[in-house]
Amino acid sequence: MKKNILYFGIAVMIGLLGGYLIFGASADSANKTVDNHDHSETSANQMWTCSMHPQIMQPEPGDCPICGMELIPAEASSEGLAANQIKMTENALALANIETTIVGNLKESNDDGVISLSGKIAANEENNAIQASYFDGRLERLNVSFEGQEVKRGQLLATIYSPNLVAAQQELITATSLKQFQPALYKAVRNKLKLWKLSESQIDNIESTGEVRENFPLYATVSGTVAMVMAAEGDYLKQGQPILKVSNLNSVWAEFDAYENQISQFKKGQKIKVTTSAYPKKEFDAVISFIDPVLNSSTRTVTVRTTLKNNENLFKPGMFVSGKIKGTAKAVEESLNIPASAVLWTGERSLVYVKLNPNEPVFEMREVTVGLRNGDNFTVTSGLENGEEIVTNGTFTVDAAAQLQGKKSMMNKSGRKTMTGHEGHSGMRGGSEFKSNTIPTMKMKLPKAFQTAFQAALKSYFKMKDAFVASDENQVSALAKTTFEKMKAIEIEGLGKMEKSHLSKSIEMFSAISSNSDLKTQRAQLVVLNENIVALAMNIKSPLETLYLQKCPMANNGHGAIWLSTQSDIKNPYYGEAMLTCGSVIKTIE
């Protein structure tokens, strides 16, 4: 009996064990399969974003690389979108202040066909004159020695010692005593002195006194402003060698840059209204007097010129001006008119973002062909259709979101995802994705004295750069003026044409920044300034301190922009707090 109970207990235990092995294991396996499946699906699809910066999109939770806030789960991306399409959440659209506009035919707009041009004041070369030496000699004294000095006709410019003139005066004195017997010789000697620009009174004085002057005065033959000093005291001058270049600024040129596709809109005699930052409330009427027949192959622009009267001395050469002119061509009815803010430029392509469905925030990147720019609008000749809805505010934000999600974008034609999170802004320190980290070095010969003075001027440049980082436009203007004065005082003796060009452009941009109070415009001018400053700085042989050449690939409308810093840490002057660490060190100058 006991034996039977024992066998029964063993059988029950074996049955329980077998049931566990069959059903329990299956259940565990099923549970594990479900768990693994759920986890893998969540991991593959879930992305994390920032509520304040919806362009941030990362595959894992963490903190926002811009503001440090904790990332939140992003909505799962829609299936079936093409590589050039992106879907954004309503929250992201609101935070990024995305605005759209329905495009229409040009005939439906209120555009009056006015074309805006930018340019600068230049000296009227038709009024330029060269003050030259009319005889060989040594320049003993130069009374006019700096640019910008006013000169009056008949003013004493210089004193020259000329052995030939000494001999000619002696000939005149001798010929005077023989003029009754040899009148032809006497007349020939006087004419010789006249050809050397001696006046009748000077010749009569020599003849009457019988005295020979060793140091002979040279007088101005025109009135104007000294544009260039071309000789120095002690120089030995040849006959006809220039001493001064004088410009009459009673009239000046306003030279505007017109794009290649605008050429057909202009003709000589066309009226143009000119304004300048120095006198924003004044408008000056003028007409086109010259259109350059040669296209600048590097900028793809032609020079459109007008002549302005300057009796009140309001216009200064180098001053920035704007022009408004009504084009000659009639509006094409089939072309579309879109705001300039809708267009993204890559240098080769023009892109817009089209909203495909008015009830769904899905945008498609579209390449378009733009025609003339009329005011704040572009005409589109292909790529868009009448009635389509495009992004007109926040276009760059939409493009940035597309790039971060691996979609086709302005900087990513293939759509291959190359970076996540904020790597497109602050990363790329030593990374390989950004190929434009190499800056071509232009070989220059900079005299030691120039290098010393240039580095001294850079100290206030670095302070100005910090003011840009702080987005303090008033401090930027003040420091730009300080740097302008230091740069202008640098001695240019020994500099070649290329070196002078970079220095001159740098001085011009410091002046422009100092006279401007709009931070956005100042930052645009900073791009040009840094291109010229860096070119000079890279040729310093022994810098007083280590300099870091840094670059932000997002600045300058996505074309990238550079700057100099004395610290390796990135503090972006083009965006300030908005993208403080956007950029990387691409070269060290030490």
Side-chain angles (χ1 to χ4, degrees), residues 164-179 182-194 196 198-213 216:
N164 291 341
L165 190 55
V166 170
Q169 291 178 80
Q170 188 61 55
E171 289 177 5
L172 175 63
I173 295 171
T174 303
T176 300
S177 61
L178 300 174
K179 65 180 178 180
Q182 296 183 352
L185 175 62
Y186 170 74
K187 186 176 180 180
V189 173
R190 285 187 65 96
N191 288 337
K192 181 180 179 180
L193 293 175
K194 288 180 181 179
W196 280 346
L198 270 68
S199 64
E200 289 283 353
S201 61
Q202 287 177 312
I203 297 173
D204 291 340
N205 185 59
I206 296 170
E207 185 176 335
S208 61
T209 61
E211 296 179 358
V212 174
R213 298 189 62 173
F216 212 84

mmCIF file of all heavy atoms in Angstrom, residues 164-179 182-194 196 198-213 216:
data_model
loop_
_atom_site.group_PDB
_atom_site.id
_atom_site.type_symbol
_atom_site.label_atom_id
_atom_site.label_comp_id
_atom_site.label_asym_id
_atom_site.label_seq_id
_atom_site.Cartn_x
_atom_site.Cartn_y
_atom_site.Cartn_z
ATOM 1 N N ASN A 164 68.715 121.023 -65.453
ATOM 2 C CA ASN A 164 68.338 121.431 -66.810
ATOM 3 C C ASN A 164 67.649 122.801 -66.796
ATOM 4 O O ASN A 164 67.837 123.622 -67.702
ATOM 5 C CB ASN A 164 67.394 120.401 -67.436
ATOM 6 C CG ASN A 164 68.101 119.083 -67.737
ATOM 7 O OD1 ASN A 164 69.328 119.043 -67.812
ATOM 8 N ND2 ASN A 164 67.330 118.020 -67.890
ATOM 9 N N LEU A 165 66.835 123.031 -65.752
ATOM 10 C CA LEU A 165 66.139 124.309 -65.661
ATOM 11 C C LEU A 165 67.112 125.437 -65.316
ATOM 12 O O LEU A 165 66.961 126.573 -65.772
ATOM 13 C CB LEU A 165 65.028 124.227 -64.607
ATOM 14 C CG LEU A 165 64.044 125.398 -64.552
ATOM 15 C CD1 LEU A 165 63.402 125.643 -65.913
ATOM 16 C CD2 LEU A 165 62.989 125.145 -63.484
ATOM 17 N N VAL A 166 68.109 125.132 -64.533
ATOM 18 C CA VAL A 166 69.146 126.122 -64.220
ATOM 19 C C VAL A 166 69.857 126.546 -65.502
ATOM 20 O O VAL A 166 70.081 127.746 -65.771
ATOM 21 C CB VAL A 166 70.145 125.560 -63.191
ATOM 22 C CG1 VAL A 166 71.358 126.489 -63.056
ATOM 23 C CG2 VAL A 166 69.471 125.362 -61.836
ATOM 24 N N ALA A 167 70.187 125.551 -66.345
ATOM 25 C CA ALA A 167 70.869 125.854 -67.608
ATOM 26 C C ALA A 167 69.964 126.646 -68.549
ATOM 27 O O ALA A 167 70.418 127.581 -69.241
ATOM 28 C CB ALA A 167 71.306 124.547 -68.265
ATOM 29 N N ALA A 168 68.639 126.301 -68.539
ATOM 30 C CA ALA A 168 67.703 126.999 -69.421
ATOM 31 C C ALA A 168 67.533 128.454 -68.999
ATOM 32 O O ALA A 168 67.391 129.355 -69.849
ATOM 33 C CB ALA A 168 66.359 126.279 -69.416
ATOM 34 N N GLN A 169 67.571 128.735 -67.690
ATOM 35 C CA GLN A 169 67.462 130.119 -67.216
ATOM 36 C C GLN A 169 68.693 130.920 -67.650
ATOM 37 O O GLN A 169 68.591 132.104 -68.035
ATOM 38 C CB GLN A 169 67.349 130.145 -65.684
ATOM 39 C CG GLN A 169 66.033 129.584 -65.154
ATOM 40 C CD GLN A 169 65.980 129.575 -63.630
ATOM 41 O OE1 GLN A 169 65.719 130.603 -63.008
ATOM 42 N NE2 GLN A 169 66.272 128.424 -63.042
ATOM 43 N N GLN A 170 69.873 130.281 -67.577
ATOM 44 C CA GLN A 170 71.100 130.958 -67.988
ATOM 45 C C GLN A 170 71.057 131.269 -69.486
ATOM 46 O O GLN A 170 71.500 132.344 -69.934
ATOM 47 C CB GLN A 170 72.311 130.075 -67.670
ATOM 48 C CG GLN A 170 73.644 130.774 -67.890
ATOM 49 C CD GLN A 170 73.810 132.003 -67.006
ATOM 50 O OE1 GLN A 170 73.690 131.929 -65.782
ATOM 51 N NE2 GLN A 170 74.064 133.160 -67.638
ATOM 52 N N GLU A 171 70.476 130.334 -70.260
ATOM 53 C CA GLU A 171 70.330 130.561 -71.699
ATOM 54 C C GLU A 171 69.425 131.767 -71.956
ATOM 55 O O GLU A 171 69.673 132.568 -72.873
ATOM 56 C CB GLU A 171 69.741 129.314 -72.376
ATOM 57 C CG GLU A 171 70.690 128.135 -72.451
ATOM 58 C CD GLU A 171 70.019 126.899 -73.061
ATOM 59 O OE1 GLU A 171 68.847 127.023 -73.500
ATOM 60 O OE2 GLU A 171 70.640 125.831 -73.071
ATOM 61 N N LEU A 172 68.370 131.912 -71.155
ATOM 62 C CA LEU A 172 67.442 133.031 -71.341
ATOM 63 C C LEU A 172 68.140 134.360 -71.057
ATOM 64 O O LEU A 172 67.973 135.336 -71.806
ATOM 65 C CB LEU A 172 66.226 132.857 -70.414
ATOM 66 C CG LEU A 172 65.224 134.021 -70.428
ATOM 67 C CD1 LEU A 172 64.596 134.199 -71.811
ATOM 68 C CD2 LEU A 172 64.149 133.824 -69.360
ATOM 69 N N ILE A 173 68.912 134.390 -69.994
ATOM 70 C CA ILE A 173 69.616 135.632 -69.654
ATOM 71 C C ILE A 173 70.588 136.016 -70.774
ATOM 72 O O ILE A 173 70.696 137.193 -71.162
ATOM 73 C CB ILE A 173 70.360 135.468 -68.311
ATOM 74 C CG1 ILE A 173 69.332 135.273 -67.173
ATOM 75 C CG2 ILE A 173 71.249 136.668 -68.032
ATOM 76 C CD1 ILE A 173 69.967 134.880 -65.835
ATOM 77 N N THR A 174 71.270 135.021 -71.323
ATOM 78 C CA THR A 174 72.224 135.287 -72.430
ATOM 79 C C THR A 174 71.476 135.727 -73.680
ATOM 80 O O THR A 174 71.885 136.678 -74.381
ATOM 81 C CB THR A 174 73.050 134.019 -72.722
ATOM 82 O OG1 THR A 174 73.731 133.609 -71.528
ATOM 83 C CG2 THR A 174 74.056 134.275 -73.835
ATOM 84 N N ALA A 175 70.360 135.012 -73.976
ATOM 85 C CA ALA A 175 69.598 135.337 -75.190
ATOM 86 C C ALA A 175 68.946 136.710 -75.090
ATOM 87 O O ALA A 175 68.744 137.391 -76.109
ATOM 88 C CB ALA A 175 68.525 134.269 -75.423
ATOM 89 N N THR A 176 68.660 137.166 -73.876
ATOM 90 C CA THR A 176 68.036 138.485 -73.698
ATOM 91 C C THR A 176 68.990 139.587 -74.152
ATOM 92 O O THR A 176 68.571 140.583 -74.766
ATOM 93 C CB THR A 176 67.651 138.694 -72.220
ATOM 94 O OG1 THR A 176 66.731 137.685 -71.823
ATOM 95 C CG2 THR A 176 67.029 140.062 -72.010
ATOM 96 N N SER A 177 70.251 139.395 -73.846
ATOM 97 C CA SER A 177 71.237 140.416 -74.248
ATOM 98 C C SER A 177 71.495 140.399 -75.750
ATOM 99 O O SER A 177 72.039 141.349 -76.313
ATOM 100 C CB SER A 177 72.568 140.189 -73.506
ATOM 101 O OG SER A 177 73.109 138.920 -73.828
ATOM 102 N N LEU A 178 71.061 139.328 -76.445
ATOM 103 C CA LEU A 178 71.307 139.204 -77.886
ATOM 104 C C LEU A 178 70.013 139.267 -78.696
ATOM 105 O O LEU A 178 70.024 138.959 -79.892
ATOM 106 C CB LEU A 178 72.016 137.870 -78.183
ATOM 107 C CG LEU A 178 73.375 137.644 -77.508
ATOM 108 C CD1 LEU A 178 73.878 136.231 -77.784
ATOM 109 C CD2 LEU A 178 74.401 138.672 -77.995
ATOM 110 N N LYS A 179 68.870 139.611 -78.033
ATOM 111 C CA LYS A 179 67.583 139.504 -78.728
ATOM 112 C C LYS A 179 67.467 140.481 -79.903
ATOM 113 O O LYS A 179 66.716 140.221 -80.838
ATOM 114 C CB LYS A 179 66.426 139.691 -77.758
ATOM 115 C CG LYS A 179 66.320 141.067 -77.124
ATOM 116 C CD LYS A 179 65.118 141.108 -76.180
ATOM 117 C CE LYS A 179 64.999 142.454 -75.486
ATOM 118 N NZ LYS A 179 63.821 142.502 -74.569
ATOM 119 N N GLN A 182 69.689 138.422 -82.468
ATOM 120 C CA GLN A 182 69.206 137.056 -82.740
ATOM 121 C C GLN A 182 67.815 136.867 -82.118
ATOM 122 O O GLN A 182 67.652 136.151 -81.133
ATOM 123 C CB GLN A 182 70.186 136.012 -82.185
ATOM 124 C CG GLN A 182 71.558 136.059 -82.854
ATOM 125 C CD GLN A 182 72.481 134.956 -82.326
ATOM 126 O OE1 GLN A 182 72.167 134.256 -81.367
ATOM 127 N NE2 GLN A 182 73.634 134.832 -82.974
ATOM 128 N N PRO A 183 66.820 137.519 -82.669
ATOM 129 C CA PRO A 183 65.464 137.429 -82.093
ATOM 130 C C PRO A 183 64.904 136.011 -82.135
ATOM 131 O O PRO A 183 64.123 135.624 -81.257
ATOM 132 C CB PRO A 183 64.648 138.388 -82.966
ATOM 133 C CG PRO A 183 65.411 138.514 -84.241
ATOM 134 C CD PRO A 183 66.853 138.377 -83.884
ATOM 135 N N ALA A 184 65.287 135.236 -83.176
ATOM 136 C CA ALA A 184 64.761 133.853 -83.272
ATOM 137 C C ALA A 184 65.279 133.001 -82.119
ATOM 138 O O ALA A 184 64.537 132.182 -81.541
ATOM 139 C CB ALA A 184 65.167 133.245 -84.609
ATOM 140 N N LEU A 185 66.539 133.172 -81.757
ATOM 141 C CA LEU A 185 67.110 132.418 -80.638
ATOM 142 C C LEU A 185 66.428 132.809 -79.334
ATOM 143 O O LEU A 185 66.089 131.950 -78.510
ATOM 144 C CB LEU A 185 68.613 132.693 -80.552
ATOM 145 C CG LEU A 185 69.344 132.071 -79.351
ATOM 146 C CD1 LEU A 185 69.256 130.558 -79.392
ATOM 147 C CD2 LEU A 185 70.810 132.548 -79.305
ATOM 148 N N TYR A 186 66.225 134.112 -79.165
ATOM 149 C CA TYR A 186 65.555 134.607 -77.944
ATOM 150 C C TYR A 186 64.151 134.006 -77.813
ATOM 151 O O TYR A 186 63.739 133.543 -76.743
ATOM 152 C CB TYR A 186 65.506 136.136 -77.996
ATOM 153 C CG TYR A 186 64.628 136.755 -76.930
ATOM 154 C CD1 TYR A 186 65.028 136.813 -75.602
ATOM 155 C CD2 TYR A 186 63.371 137.300 -77.273
ATOM 156 C CE1 TYR A 186 64.214 137.392 -74.634
ATOM 157 C CE2 TYR A 186 62.558 137.884 -76.322
ATOM 158 C CZ TYR A 186 62.981 137.922 -74.991
ATOM 159 O OH TYR A 186 62.174 138.489 -74.040
ATOM 160 N N LYS A 187 63.417 134.003 -78.924
ATOM 161 C CA LYS A 187 62.049 133.470 -78.901
ATOM 162 C C LYS A 187 62.043 131.972 -78.620
ATOM 163 O O LYS A 187 61.177 131.457 -77.884
ATOM 164 C CB LYS A 187 61.377 133.776 -80.237
ATOM 165 C CG LYS A 187 59.904 133.400 -80.267
ATOM 166 C CD LYS A 187 59.272 133.818 -81.590
ATOM 167 C CE LYS A 187 57.786 133.444 -81.603
ATOM 168 N NZ LYS A 187 57.147 133.843 -82.893
ATOM 169 N N ALA A 188 62.997 131.247 -79.154
ATOM 170 C CA ALA A 188 63.070 129.794 -78.961
ATOM 171 C C ALA A 188 63.338 129.447 -77.500
ATOM 172 O O ALA A 188 62.769 128.493 -76.951
ATOM 173 C CB ALA A 188 64.154 129.209 -79.863
ATOM 174 N N VAL A 189 64.218 130.243 -76.845
ATOM 175 C CA VAL A 189 64.520 129.977 -75.434
ATOM 176 C C VAL A 189 63.291 130.216 -74.569
ATOM 177 O O VAL A 189 62.986 129.445 -73.645
ATOM 178 C CB VAL A 189 65.707 130.852 -74.975
ATOM 179 C CG1 VAL A 189 65.912 130.723 -73.468
ATOM 180 C CG2 VAL A 189 66.977 130.453 -75.716
ATOM 181 N N ARG A 190 62.544 131.300 -74.850
ATOM 182 C CA ARG A 190 61.325 131.579 -74.077
ATOM 183 C C ARG A 190 60.273 130.470 -74.261
ATOM 184 O O ARG A 190 59.619 130.044 -73.302
ATOM 185 C CB ARG A 190 60.731 132.934 -74.491
ATOM 186 C CG ARG A 190 61.488 134.140 -73.956
ATOM 187 C CD ARG A 190 60.727 135.434 -74.274
ATOM 188 N NE ARG A 190 59.451 135.503 -73.576
ATOM 189 C CZ ARG A 190 59.272 136.139 -72.419
ATOM 190 N NH1 ARG A 190 60.296 136.754 -71.815
ATOM 191 N NH2 ARG A 190 58.072 136.169 -71.849
ATOM 192 N N ASN A 191 60.142 130.010 -75.510
ATOM 193 C CA ASN A 191 59.168 128.933 -75.769
ATOM 194 C C ASN A 191 59.551 127.642 -75.053
ATOM 195 O O ASN A 191 58.681 126.881 -74.620
ATOM 196 C CB ASN A 191 59.045 128.685 -77.270
ATOM 197 C CG ASN A 191 58.301 129.798 -77.989
ATOM 198 O OD1 ASN A 191 57.515 130.526 -77.358
ATOM 199 N ND2 ASN A 191 58.533 129.942 -79.273
ATOM 200 N N LYS A 192 60.843 127.392 -74.933
ATOM 201 C CA LYS A 192 61.304 126.199 -74.231
ATOM 202 C C LYS A 192 60.858 126.226 -72.776
ATOM 203 O O LYS A 192 60.396 125.215 -72.227
ATOM 204 C CB LYS A 192 62.829 126.124 -74.324
ATOM 205 C CG LYS A 192 63.435 124.911 -73.638
ATOM 206 C CD LYS A 192 64.949 124.924 -73.791
ATOM 207 C CE LYS A 192 65.574 123.734 -73.093
ATOM 208 N NZ LYS A 192 67.067 123.742 -73.242
ATOM 209 N N LEU A 193 60.964 127.390 -72.149
ATOM 210 C CA LEU A 193 60.541 127.526 -70.748
ATOM 211 C C LEU A 193 59.021 127.428 -70.613
ATOM 212 O O LEU A 193 58.507 126.916 -69.617
ATOM 213 C CB LEU A 193 61.044 128.853 -70.182
ATOM 214 C CG LEU A 193 62.570 128.968 -70.025
ATOM 215 C CD1 LEU A 193 62.947 130.366 -69.575
ATOM 216 C CD2 LEU A 193 63.078 127.937 -69.032
ATOM 217 N N LYS A 194 58.299 127.933 -71.637
ATOM 218 C CA LYS A 194 56.839 127.824 -71.606
ATOM 219 C C LYS A 194 56.393 126.365 -71.672
ATOM 220 O O LYS A 194 55.417 125.970 -71.040
ATOM 221 C CB LYS A 194 56.223 128.621 -72.761
ATOM 222 C CG LYS A 194 56.299 130.137 -72.591
ATOM 223 C CD LYS A 194 55.666 130.838 -73.788
ATOM 224 C CE LYS A 194 55.761 132.351 -73.648
ATOM 225 N NZ LYS A 194 55.155 133.041 -74.822
ATOM 226 N N TRP A 196 57.856 123.971 -70.399
ATOM 227 C CA TRP A 196 58.080 123.421 -69.059
ATOM 228 C C TRP A 196 57.104 124.027 -68.046
ATOM 229 O O TRP A 196 57.320 123.908 -66.846
ATOM 230 C CB TRP A 196 59.526 123.701 -68.617
ATOM 231 C CG TRP A 196 60.503 122.729 -69.228
ATOM 232 C CD1 TRP A 196 60.226 121.563 -69.846
ATOM 233 C CD2 TRP A 196 61.918 122.869 -69.251
ATOM 234 N NE1 TRP A 196 61.375 120.950 -70.258
ATOM 235 C CE2 TRP A 196 62.450 121.725 -69.906
ATOM 236 C CE3 TRP A 196 62.825 123.850 -68.808
ATOM 237 C CZ2 TRP A 196 63.804 121.519 -70.108
ATOM 238 C CZ3 TRP A 196 64.183 123.649 -69.009
ATOM 239 C CH2 TRP A 196 64.664 122.494 -69.645
ATOM 240 N N LEU A 198 56.380 127.099 -67.270
ATOM 241 C CA LEU A 198 56.682 128.340 -66.569
ATOM 242 C C LEU A 198 55.758 129.423 -67.119
ATOM 243 O O LEU A 198 55.523 129.487 -68.333
ATOM 244 C CB LEU A 198 58.142 128.750 -66.768
ATOM 245 C CG LEU A 198 59.140 128.198 -65.725
ATOM 246 C CD1 LEU A 198 59.294 126.695 -65.860
ATOM 247 C CD2 LEU A 198 60.490 128.895 -65.884
ATOM 248 N N SER A 199 55.209 130.255 -66.242
ATOM 249 C CA SER A 199 54.288 131.301 -66.676
ATOM 250 C C SER A 199 55.064 132.482 -67.277
ATOM 251 O O SER A 199 56.288 132.601 -67.103
ATOM 252 C CB SER A 199 53.455 131.776 -65.488
ATOM 253 O OG SER A 199 54.290 132.383 -64.512
ATOM 254 N N GLU A 200 54.330 133.350 -67.971
ATOM 255 C CA GLU A 200 54.940 134.541 -68.572
ATOM 256 C C GLU A 200 55.578 135.410 -67.500
ATOM 257 O O GLU A 200 56.669 135.961 -67.687
ATOM 258 C CB GLU A 200 53.875 135.343 -69.323
ATOM 259 C CG GLU A 200 53.375 134.696 -70.606
ATOM 260 C CD GLU A 200 54.373 134.842 -71.751
ATOM 261 O OE1 GLU A 200 55.388 135.550 -71.586
ATOM 262 O OE2 GLU A 200 54.133 134.244 -72.819
ATOM 263 N N SER A 201 54.912 135.536 -66.355
ATOM 264 C CA SER A 201 55.446 136.386 -65.290
ATOM 265 C C SER A 201 56.734 135.805 -64.719
ATOM 266 O O SER A 201 57.675 136.554 -64.383
ATOM 267 C CB SER A 201 54.409 136.552 -64.174
ATOM 268 O OG SER A 201 54.078 135.292 -63.606
ATOM 269 N N GLN A 202 56.815 134.472 -64.621
ATOM 270 C CA GLN A 202 58.050 133.852 -64.117
ATOM 271 C C GLN A 202 59.202 134.077 -65.098
ATOM 272 O O GLN A 202 60.332 134.379 -64.692
ATOM 273 C CB GLN A 202 57.827 132.344 -63.897
ATOM 274 C CG GLN A 202 56.965 132.006 -62.686
ATOM 275 C CD GLN A 202 56.714 130.501 -62.567
ATOM 276 O OE1 GLN A 202 56.346 129.848 -63.535
ATOM 277 N NE2 GLN A 202 56.913 129.970 -61.365
ATOM 278 N N ILE A 203 58.902 133.917 -66.380
ATOM 279 C CA ILE A 203 59.954 134.116 -67.390
ATOM 280 C C ILE A 203 60.406 135.578 -67.416
ATOM 281 O O ILE A 203 61.619 135.872 -67.490
ATOM 282 C CB ILE A 203 59.441 133.680 -68.776
ATOM 283 C CG1 ILE A 203 59.111 132.172 -68.761
ATOM 284 C CG2 ILE A 203 60.477 133.983 -69.858
ATOM 285 C CD1 ILE A 203 58.441 131.680 -70.035
ATOM 286 N N ASP A 204 59.434 136.511 -67.338
ATOM 287 C CA ASP A 204 59.781 137.942 -67.332
ATOM 288 C C ASP A 204 60.615 138.288 -66.104
ATOM 289 O O ASP A 204 61.535 139.122 -66.180
ATOM 290 C CB ASP A 204 58.509 138.793 -67.353
ATOM 291 C CG ASP A 204 57.775 138.697 -68.679
ATOM 292 O OD1 ASP A 204 58.412 138.304 -69.673
ATOM 293 O OD2 ASP A 204 56.556 138.995 -68.703
ATOM 294 N N ASN A 205 60.333 137.675 -64.975
ATOM 295 C CA ASN A 205 61.083 137.941 -63.743
ATOM 296 C C ASN A 205 62.532 137.500 -63.873
ATOM 297 O O ASN A 205 63.458 138.204 -63.448
ATOM 298 C CB ASN A 205 60.409 137.240 -62.572
ATOM 299 C CG ASN A 205 61.069 137.561 -61.244
ATOM 300 O OD1 ASN A 205 61.148 138.727 -60.843
ATOM 301 N ND2 ASN A 205 61.568 136.528 -60.562
ATOM 302 N N ILE A 206 62.727 136.326 -64.481
ATOM 303 C CA ILE A 206 64.101 135.840 -64.696
ATOM 304 C C ILE A 206 64.847 136.797 -65.632
ATOM 305 O O ILE A 206 66.019 137.147 -65.407
ATOM 306 C CB ILE A 206 64.084 134.412 -65.286
ATOM 307 C CG1 ILE A 206 63.449 133.433 -64.294
ATOM 308 C CG2 ILE A 206 65.500 133.964 -65.650
ATOM 309 C CD1 ILE A 206 63.172 132.060 -64.890
ATOM 310 N N GLU A 207 64.144 137.210 -66.671
ATOM 311 C CA GLU A 207 64.763 138.084 -67.674
ATOM 312 C C GLU A 207 65.114 139.447 -67.092
ATOM 313 O O GLU A 207 66.191 140.005 -67.371
ATOM 314 C CB GLU A 207 63.794 138.242 -68.846
ATOM 315 C CG GLU A 207 64.357 139.021 -70.027
ATOM 316 C CD GLU A 207 63.390 139.071 -71.190
ATOM 317 O OE1 GLU A 207 62.531 138.150 -71.284
ATOM 318 O OE2 GLU A 207 63.469 140.023 -71.983
ATOM 319 N N SER A 208 64.229 140.016 -66.259
ATOM 320 C CA SER A 208 64.455 141.363 -65.731
ATOM 321 C C SER A 208 65.489 141.391 -64.617
ATOM 322 O O SER A 208 66.280 142.327 -64.508
ATOM 323 C CB SER A 208 63.134 141.951 -65.234
ATOM 324 O OG SER A 208 62.603 141.150 -64.180
ATOM 325 N N THR A 209 65.494 140.362 -63.750
ATOM 326 C CA THR A 209 66.432 140.346 -62.623
ATOM 327 C C THR A 209 67.782 139.790 -63.012
ATOM 328 O O THR A 209 68.799 140.135 -62.401
ATOM 329 C CB THR A 209 65.862 139.508 -61.466
ATOM 330 O OG1 THR A 209 65.657 138.152 -61.904
ATOM 331 C CG2 THR A 209 64.552 140.094 -60.970
ATOM 332 N N GLY A 210 67.803 138.932 -64.012
ATOM 333 C CA GLY A 210 69.057 138.312 -64.404
ATOM 334 C C GLY A 210 69.567 137.318 -63.381
ATOM 335 O O GLY A 210 70.746 136.960 -63.409
ATOM 336 N N GLU A 211 68.652 136.851 -62.489
ATOM 337 C CA GLU A 211 69.041 135.885 -61.460
ATOM 338 C C GLU A 211 68.519 134.497 -61.800
ATOM 339 O O GLU A 211 67.392 134.341 -62.257
ATOM 340 C CB GLU A 211 68.508 136.318 -60.095
ATOM 341 C CG GLU A 211 69.080 137.628 -59.580
ATOM 342 C CD GLU A 211 68.494 138.026 -58.234
ATOM 343 O OE1 GLU A 211 67.610 137.265 -57.740
ATOM 344 O OE2 GLU A 211 68.914 139.055 -57.683
ATOM 345 N N VAL A 212 69.351 133.512 -61.539
ATOM 346 C CA VAL A 212 68.991 132.115 -61.802
ATOM 347 C C VAL A 212 68.514 131.475 -60.492
ATOM 348 O O VAL A 212 69.212 131.537 -59.475
ATOM 349 C CB VAL A 212 70.192 131.328 -62.362
ATOM 350 C CG1 VAL A 212 69.840 129.849 -62.501
ATOM 351 C CG2 VAL A 212 70.625 131.914 -63.699
ATOM 352 N N ARG A 213 67.337 130.875 -60.521
ATOM 353 C CA ARG A 213 66.800 130.186 -59.345
ATOM 354 C C ARG A 213 67.163 128.707 -59.421
ATOM 355 O O ARG A 213 66.891 128.018 -60.406
ATOM 356 C CB ARG A 213 65.280 130.339 -59.274
ATOM 357 C CG ARG A 213 64.819 131.777 -59.139
ATOM 358 C CD ARG A 213 63.321 131.844 -58.845
ATOM 359 N NE ARG A 213 62.993 131.199 -57.575
ATOM 360 C CZ ARG A 213 61.780 131.241 -57.010
ATOM 361 N NH1 ARG A 213 60.809 131.896 -57.635
ATOM 362 N NH2 ARG A 213 61.550 130.648 -55.865
ATOM 363 N N PHE A 216 63.136 125.547 -57.982
ATOM 364 C CA PHE A 216 62.069 126.193 -58.726
ATOM 365 C C PHE A 216 60.714 125.724 -58.217
ATOM 366 O O PHE A 216 60.499 124.534 -57.971
ATOM 367 C CB PHE A 216 62.206 125.884 -60.219
ATOM 368 C CG PHE A 216 61.728 126.995 -61.084
ATOM 369 C CD1 PHE A 216 62.560 128.059 -61.388
ATOM 370 C CD2 PHE A 216 60.426 126.996 -61.572
ATOM 371 C CE1 PHE A 216 62.119 129.107 -62.176
ATOM 372 C CE2 PHE A 216 59.978 128.044 -62.365
ATOM 373 C CZ PHE A 216 60.829 129.110 -62.675
#
